[in-house]
């Protein structure tokens, strides 16, 4: 339960009586004093209106339930030095609190802020973990590898003419040569 308060403007208005109403009394109720009680998971509008007037104010209330799971939009990710990626956590079920805490197992490799934004700081591996903050403590992780990415692939020929049954070899070069993963895949 929690209490909402409402005030009428102007403060010297003739009618000051507030009427409270819930848009869905199965989700939450509100009494004549503005005390809201959550009953089942969901979203509901608590409406304060001036008796006999069309003036209203609305508070959207989400009644949460215990978390049963947590998922991330990535389970592993390769990130360039200085590059960024935002991890998104989804706490299950739908009306569970979506508040999570983010932790990097090795902040010297990659840092993470309170919104899940990961920044590659130095080459290596780290695990970014999202932990539910409300109710049961659940977690989900993403393995981050900070790499020196390939910036360019070039071929030794831009055009090749061949006869049927003939074969020729192309040579590919990556740059920088010190890229973490420099294996060429041909298709």
């Amino acid at each position: 339960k929690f209490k909402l308060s409402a005030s009428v403007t102007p403060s010297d208005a003739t009618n000051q009586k507030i009427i409270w109403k819930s848009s869905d009394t199965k989700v939450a109720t509100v009494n004549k004093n503005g005390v809201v009680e959550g009953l089942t998971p969901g979203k509901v509008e608590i409406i304060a209106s001036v008796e006999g007037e069309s003036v209203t104010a609305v508070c959207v209330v989400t009644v949460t339930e215990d978390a049963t799971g947590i998922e991330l939009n990535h389970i592993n990710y390769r990130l360039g030095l200085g590059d960024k990626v935002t991890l998104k956590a989804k706490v299950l079920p739908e009306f569970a609190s979506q508040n999570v805490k983010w932790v990097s197992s090795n902040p010297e490799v990659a840092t993470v802020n309170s919104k899940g934004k990961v920044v590659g700081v130095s080459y290596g591996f780290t695990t970014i973990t999202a932990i539910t903050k409300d109710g049961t403590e659940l977690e989900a992780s993403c393995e981050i590898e900070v790499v020196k990415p390939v910036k360019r692939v070039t071929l030794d020929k831009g055009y090749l003419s061949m006869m049927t049954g003939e074969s020729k070899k192309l040579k590919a070069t990556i740059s920088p040569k010190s890229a973490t993963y420099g294996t060429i895949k041909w298709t």
Side-chain angles (χ1 to χ4, degrees):
K1 294 181 183 181
F2 70 96
K3 184 174 182 1
L4 287 172
S5 60
S7 58
V8 177
T9 305
S11 59
D12 62 348
T14 306
N15 192 353
Q16 297 276 328
K17 185 169 183 187
I18 304 291
I19 305 295
W20 294 95
K21 180 181 163 192
S22 169
S23 65
D24 187 345
T25 55
K26 291 177 185 167
V27 175
T29 59
V30 61
N31 72 14
K32 65 180 182 175
N33 299 316
V35 176
V36 179
E37 181 177 1
L39 302 175
T40 60
K43 278 193 178 184
V44 64
E45 290 183 345
I46 303 299
I47 303 151
S49 59
V50 177
E51 184 180 48
E53 304 284 340
S54 61
V55 178
T56 61
V58 176
C59 176
V60 177
V61 175
T62 302
V63 179
T64 60
E65 57 191 318
D66 289 338
T68 58
I70 183 172
E71 300 172 347
L72 294 180
N73 59 332
H74 296 285
I75 56 170
N76 52 52
Y77 198 89
R78 283 189 184 149
L79 193 63
L81 186 65
D83 289 344
K84 302 170 179 104
V85 64
T86 299
L87 297 177
K88 292 182 172 66
K90 181 179 180 182
V91 181
L92 305 169
E94 178 184 3
F95 290 108
S97 170
Q98 298 297 310
N99 292 328
V100 296
K101 172 175 68 172
W102 294 94
V103 179
S104 173
S105 67
N106 191 350
E108 291 162 3
V109 171
T111 60
V112 62
N113 71 10
S114 62
K115 293 186 168 89
K117 183 175 171 184
V118 180
V119 179
V121 178
S122 66
Y123 302 121
F125 293 87
T126 188
T127 302
I128 304 297
T129 305
I131 305 165
T132 56
K133 287 169 97 174
D134 302 316
T136 309
E137 193 171 279
L138 303 170
E139 57 183 58
S141 297
C142 175
E143 298 298 318
I144 298 286
E145 181 182 12
V146 179
V147 298
K148 188 168 196 176
V150 172
K151 299 284 186 188
R152 200 169 94 189
V153 178
T154 55
L155 295 173
D156 61 337
K157 295 177 180 57
Y159 177 81
L160 194 59
S161 178
M162 297 177 9
M163 300 295 291
T164 303
E166 184 181 7
S167 63
K168 293 186 179 178
K169 186 171 184 168
L170 288 171
K171 181 181 175 193
T173 306
I174 63 159
S175 66
K177 290 183 192 254
S178 61
T180 306
Y181 296 99
T183 304
I184 302 291
K185 178 182 173 188
W186 295 90
T187 57

